[in-house]
Each structure stands twice: as structure tokens, then as C-alpha cells.
């Protein structure tokens, strides 16, 4: 029997709608090739929605996402000019969706593909790791809850035992599904923290060391976050899976993208116990929106992760293979800014052609 899925699309702001169009083109081709019935429905959300109705996510959407859909494919949201009185952005959905759906693990694969002329000189296969970013607490638990007056401002970083345990277990389980670090083939989880200075990070590391004993088949490693930033650029081959606090994971994943051809190369999954959504790691890139310049690869790889999550591994792998083939053949070439030289639509066609 043909498998049927209902997917919510949140096109979002800036380059979001063009990226979602690209991903839907690829998703439809993969569905045809693998005999899947995929129905997509668009849901508003982001800065545009905030400007229109006063809510970044219209009331009722969160419940519908949870109950009526099998998964959510989200474009980037937010516009720097759309802000609350307190100075933070009003069009973002990170707090609403990650907290609302309790998607505690933010999975961000960083992989150098053949044919990509990256800023850092490594060969394809030498950079291939996954950042597992804690997604519901850490410094970003303070979203909307910071305090400030004319003289001072404060946001608190909090981690909980349950929050640490579940994301750290997720990281070790992820390592079990992979072939180890490129440099030595060893399955390894690296705990990235600043436990030399801050109690919250010492707590995170303590929980990591406890959980690591449950996984004797996976090497447990530590790196302070400043040194990790260095090693991600200078010696990325030693990394397999990294697990880290929310804010550090946010920073280090964009850094990782900078080593593999830019932000437009990296998709991500937000995974919870009973909900998941998929998006690029980057933002809405208002500087290039509507100009057919954005790299759609991030959104397409996010769609591949969505297929994996639905259990459609054949279709997910086919999408990843098509992306690899299009780059390896030199059909997609990126300029130094990480934009496909022939444009977003042409890059999408190049990938679809391999499906
Ligand atoms: P950004 O990631 O949107 O852009 C940073 C730089 O990378 C820009 O030069 C942009 O042109 C480039 N870039 C990003 N994606 C690209 C792609 N696919 N192809 C080619 N180039 C790409 O970050 P920003 O400018 O700091 O933020 C813009 C907006 O996005 C802000 O409102 C921010 O809050 C929001 N944001 C949203 C998300 C999300 O929805 N998950 C993530 C990050 C930032
Ligand atoms: C990301 C983004 C978001 C985050 C912001 C824009 C809400 O930077 O998904 O990486 O870090 O939470
Ligand atoms: Mn980010």
C-alpha cells in the first residue's frame, strides 16, 4: 500500500518562500520516485504574520501542527526591523515551536560535499560531523524572560538534569548510527562546554560523564567551547557528534557551515518525543530575498531529514544522493558568498534532475 503523509509548510520570511518552493519541488520528485503520497499545506508564521495579525504564529497553529500533520518543513523566519518594544525580534518562532513542541534536540549535520569550493581547504569526507544542540533551555530559556532597566540587563542561563540527560542520550544514540569521525573512524561524542568557568556548564559536563558510562561502545570526549571553535576550523576530522548547550550550539553550527560552503549548505532537524520540524540552520537572508540568489541546499537537506524521520530512508537518501551528485558533477557552483552561480531555481532543477 502507498504510504501517505501530510506535511505542514511554514514558508516564513525573506528567502523562506523561495526555499520552500525549491524543497517542495524536490520532495514531490522524491515522492513520485518512491511511490509516496505527500500532501502539503501552507501555514503562515514569522515576521510577516506578526505584522499582519500581531502573532508570529497565529493562534491555534501549534495545536494543528501537533495533531494534524506528520511533520513540519519550516523556512527561515524573522526580519531584523520587526522588533518588540524590549528590542528583541518579534517575528521569530524558535521559542514558540521548540518550546511548544518540546523538540529538545536540534540536529545539525555539517558535511563537506564533493565539488564545493569551501573557505577552509579540506577534502570531501574530511568534514562530516553532527552538532546536537540542546534546544529548549540553556541561555535561550531566557527568551522573553530577560530583565532590564535603564542601567542594566540580564538573561539567565539555566540547564536542568532532565534537559541535559535527554539531549546527551540523543547524542550518544546518534553516534551509534554513524560510522565514526573521519580522521580515525572512532565513534565519538564530544561534550562542548565552558565548565572551566561556569557552574551551569560544569553541571552539563557532569551529566555528560554519567550518561557516557551507559555507552561504552562510543568514545566520550571533552572540549572547552573556545578550543572547539578553533578545532572545528583547524582539525574538524576528529569530530563525529558534538553535544552542547543551546547558545553555543547556535554559534558553532554557523561556524561549521562556514567551513563547508556556507549557511546555505546546512539543514537541521528539531526532534522531540512526539513532534519534529525541519529547517535550514540559517536565517531569512533579507539582503538577497526575492533575487533568485539563495542556495536552496539547506532547505532541501532539511526535507531529506524530514523523510528520514518519517521512516522513508530510501527517499531521504535519494534526496541526499541527488544533492551530492549535482555538486560533484559541477552542475551547481557556488560563488564566494555561498550563492549558486546559476541561481536558486537552476540549482533546484540540477538536484531534481538526479531524482
Ligand atoms: P542569515 O542567516 O539570514 O544571513 C547571514 C548571511 O548569510 C547573509 O549574508 C545571507 O545572505 C547569507 N545566507 C543565509 N542563508 C543563505 C542561503 N541559503 N544562501 C546564500 N546565502 C545565505 O542571518 P542574519 O542576517 O543574521 O538574520 C536575518 C534574519 O533571520 C533575522 O531576522 C534573524 O533573527 C533571522 N534568523 C532566523 C532563523 C530561523 O528561522 N531559524 C535563524 C537565524 C536567523
Ligand atoms: C537558529 C536561529 C534561532 C535560534 C533564532 C533566530 C531564534 O539563530 O535556529 O539557529 O538560535 O534560536
Ligand atoms: Mn542560529
Amino acid at each position: 500500500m502507498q504510504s501517505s503523509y501530510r506535511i505542514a509548510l511554514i514558508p516564513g520570511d525573506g528567502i523562506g518562500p523561495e526555499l520552500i518552493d525549491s524543497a517542495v519541488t524536490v520532495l514531490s520528485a522524491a515522492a513520485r520516485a518512491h511511490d509516496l503520497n505527500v500532501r502539503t499545506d501552507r501555514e503562515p508564521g514569522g515576521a510577516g504574520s506578526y505584522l499582519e495579525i500581531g502573532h508570529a504564529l497565529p493562534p491555534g497553529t501549534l495545536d494543528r501542527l501537533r495533531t494534524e500533520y506528520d511533520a513540519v518543513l519550516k523556512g527561515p523566519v524573522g526580519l531584523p526591523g520587526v522588533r518588540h518594544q524590549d528590542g528583541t525580534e518579534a517575528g521569530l518562532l524558535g521559542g514558540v515551536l521548540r518550546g511548544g513542541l518540546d523538540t529538545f534536540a536540534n540536529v545539525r549535520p555539517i558535511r563537506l560535499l564533493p565539488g564545493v569550493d569551501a573557505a577552509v581547504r579540506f577534502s570531501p569526507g574530511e568534514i562530516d560531523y553532527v552538532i546536537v544542540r540542546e534546544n529548549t533551555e540553556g541561555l535561550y530559556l531566557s527568551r522573553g524572560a530577560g530583565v532590564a532597566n535603564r542601567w542594566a540587563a540580564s538573561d539567565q542561563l539555566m540547564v536542568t538534569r532532565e534537559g541535559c540527560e535527554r539531549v546527551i542520550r540523543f547524542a550518544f544514540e546518534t553516534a551509534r548510527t554513524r560510522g565514526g569521525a573521519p580522521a580515525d573512524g572512532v565513534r565519538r561524542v564530544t561534550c562542548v562546554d565552558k565548565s572551566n568557568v561556569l557552574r551551569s556548564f560544569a553541571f552539563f559536563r557532569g551529566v555528560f560523564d554519567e550518561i557516557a558510562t551507559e555507552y561504552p561502545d562510543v568514545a566520550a570526549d571533552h572540549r572547552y567551547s573556545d578550543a572547539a571553535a578553533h578545532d572545528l576550523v583547524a582539525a574538524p576530522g576528529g569530530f563525529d557528534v558534538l553535544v552542547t548547550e543551546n547558545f553555543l550550539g547556535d554559534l558553532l553550527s554557523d561556524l561549521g557551515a562556514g567551513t563547508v560552503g556556507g549557511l546555505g549548505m546546512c539543514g537541521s532537524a528539531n526532534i522531540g518525543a512526539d513532534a519534529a520540524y525541519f529547517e535550514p540552520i540559517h536565517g531569512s537572508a533579507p539582503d538577497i530575498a526575492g533575487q533568485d540568489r539563495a542556495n536552496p541546499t539547506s532547505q532541501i537537506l532539511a526535507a531529506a531529514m524530514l523523510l528520514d524521520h518519517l521512516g522513508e530512508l530510501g527517499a531521504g537518501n535519494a534526496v541526499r544522493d541527488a544533492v551530492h551528485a549535482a555538486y560533484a558533477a559541477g552542475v551547481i557552483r557556488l560563488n564566494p558568498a555561498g550563492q549558486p552561480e546559476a541561481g536558486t531555481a537552476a540549482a533546484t532543477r540540477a538536484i531534481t534532475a538526479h531524482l
Side-chain angles (χ1 to χ4, degrees):
M1 210 183 76
Q2 195 186 39
S3 303
S4 294
Y5 301 104
R6 189 168 176 218
I7 309 296
L9 304 172
I10 302 178
D13 303 304
I15 58 173
E18 28 188 320
L19 294 197
I20 287 288
D21 285 347
S22 289
V24 169
T25 302
V26 172
L27 202 52
S28 306
R32 271 195 303 279
H34 290 79
D35 197 26
L36 309 176
N37 177 12
V38 176
R39 176 176 154 201
T40 55
D41 291 293
R42 281 165 204 256
E43 296 277 358
S49 174
Y50 179 81
L51 289 174
E52 210 173 297
I53 61 163
H55 299 278
L57 198 67
T61 308
L62 196 59
D63 273 343
R64 264 206 317 287
L65 295 180
R66 212 185 279 119
T67 56
E68 293 180 18
Y69 294 101
D70 295 299
V72 181
L73 185 66
K74 173 188 165 294
V77 297
L79 294 172
V82 180
R83 307 187 95 92
H84 291 298
Q85 284 280 332
D86 71 3
T88 64
E89 279 193 35
L92 300 178
L93 293 177
V96 187
L97 290 178
R98 292 172 187 166
L101 300 175
D102 200 25
T103 53
F104 63 87
N106 189 328
V107 184
R108 299 188 154 191
I110 307 289
R111 197 166 181 198
L112 179 60
L113 300 188
V116 174
D117 188 18
V120 180
R121 301 279 160 240
F122 288 98
S123 301
E126 290 180 334
I127 304 180
D128 186 351
Y129 57 85
V130 178
I131 295 179
V132 177
R133 165 186 174 188
E134 201 294 319
N135 216 22
T136 53
E137 50 184 46
L139 186 55
Y140 290 177
L141 187 62
S142 203
R143 276 183 222 260
V147 290
N149 59 24
R150 282 177 58 198
W151 301 279
S154 164
D155 289 299
Q156 273 207 320
L157 191 167
M158 186 169 96
V159 296
T160 65
R161 170 164 285 277
E162 189 197 339
C164 296
E165 281 181 359
R166 62 184 184 172
V167 76
I168 290 164
R169 277 209 180 87
F170 187 98
F172 277 97
E173 295 292 340
T174 301
R176 280 188 170 163
T177 68
R178 292 171 47 85
D184 54 12
V186 173
R187 290 196 168 128
R188 175 180 292 116
V189 180
T190 305
C191 175
V192 177
D193 60 58
K194 196 69 188 178
S195 58
N196 43 349
V197 183
L198 296 177
R199 284 193 71 171
S200 49
F201 286 114
F203 181 93
F204 188 95
R205 180 188 283 229
V207 177
F208 175 86
D209 289 339
E210 279 174 35
I211 303 287
T213 63
E214 298 170 20
Y215 296 87
D217 52 318
V218 179
D221 194 15
H222 300 95
R223 204 72 100 256
Y224 292 136
S225 48
D226 43 0
H230 170 273
D231 290 353
L232 286 171
V233 173
F239 293 106
D240 177 16
V241 176
L242 300 87
V243 65
T244 191
E245 177 273 335
N246 206 334
F247 182 47
L248 290 181
D250 187 17
L251 298 182
L252 294 178
S253 50
D254 275 31
L255 182 149
T259 67
V260 297
L263 290 165
M265 294 303 296
C266 299
S268 71
N270 297 270
I271 307 281
D274 43 35
Y277 74 95
F278 302 83
E279 63 182 337
I281 72 164
H282 56 72
S284 62
D287 53 335
I288 57 168
Q291 300 169 35
D292 193 42
R293 285 162 73 191
N295 185 353
T297 307
S298 50
Q299 192 80 58
I300 290 167
L301 291 175
M305 295 176 88
L306 180 149
L307 289 166
D308 294 345
H309 181 75
L310 295 174
E312 299 297 345
L313 298 178
N317 284 330
V319 170
R320 271 183 297 273
D321 289 348
V323 168
H324 296 194
Y327 278 96
V331 197
I332 306 179
R333 285 183 192 286
L334 300 179
N335 68 19
Q339 302 157 357
E341 278 173 359
T344 310
T348 307
R349 283 194 297 274
I351 292 167
T352 313
H354 286 276
L355 285 162

